[in-house]
Amino acid sequence: MNRIELIIATAIVLFIAFLMGWFTHWVIHRFVRVGDADMSDLDTMAQQLHEAEEQRDQAVTYYQQREAEMSNQQTQTEAELRAAMEGLREARHEAEELRAYIDRKAAE
């Protein structure tokens, strides 16, 4: 076998391999192809997924706002509680002073 015959034989083998690969690709593509009904279903599912993501984002935003409102309300309630406790403490102190004053006046 001389050089030309080797080149021709190699070219034929490569061409046959190319044809077999192309045919295999065509057969696989033919059986795996997505039909129009399936594409319609995929489009519907994609739209539903998009709507679900939007609803999730809206819910997350709502809960973040609600959490901020509740946190603010809790802070205000705690501030009111501290003020009430301070007022109660002052009232008790004042009541003790008045009792002491009354006891002193009663003892005189």
Side-chain angles (χ1 to χ4, degrees), residues 22-35:
W22 178 82
F23 180 72
T24 304
H25 172 73
W26 178 78
V27 167
I28 290 172
H29 180 69
R30 185 92 166 138
F31 289 119
V32 179
R33 184 184 315 172
V34 178

Side-chain angles (χ1 to χ4, degrees), residues 8 11 13 22-23 25-26 28 30 41 52-53 57-59 65 72 77-78 87 89 93-94 101 104:
I8 292 173
V13 169
W22 178 82
F23 180 72
H25 172 73
W26 178 78
I28 290 172
R30 185 92 166 138
D41 289 344
E53 287 175 346
D57 292 343
Q58 290 174 355
Q65 290 173 348
N72 187 22
T77 304
E78 288 174 352
R89 194 173 300 116
H93 182 68
E94 187 176 327
Y101 177 74
R104 280 192 313 261

Side-chain angles (χ1 to χ4, degrees), residues 7-52:
I7 291 173
I8 292 173
T10 305
I12 290 172
V13 169
L14 288 175
F15 184 70
I16 290 171
F18 169 76
L19 287 178
M20 287 176 54
W22 178 82
F23 180 72
T24 304
H25 172 73
W26 178 78
V27 167
I28 290 172
H29 180 69
R30 185 92 166 138
F31 289 119
V32 179
R33 184 184 315 172
V34 178
D36 291 337
D38 292 337
M39 281 304 279
S40 176
D41 289 344
L42 288 174
D43 288 340
T44 303
M45 287 177 15
Q47 182 64 29
Q48 290 174 347
L49 177 63
H50 180 68
E51 291 171 1

Side-chain angles (χ1 to χ4, degrees), residues 58-77:
Q58 290 174 355
V60 166
T61 302
Y62 170 76
Y63 284 118
Q64 286 175 344
Q65 290 173 348
R66 189 71 178 136
E67 182 181 8
E69 290 173 6
M70 296 300 286
S71 176
N72 187 22
Q73 186 177 6
Q74 180 183 5
T75 303
Q76 289 176 352
T77 304

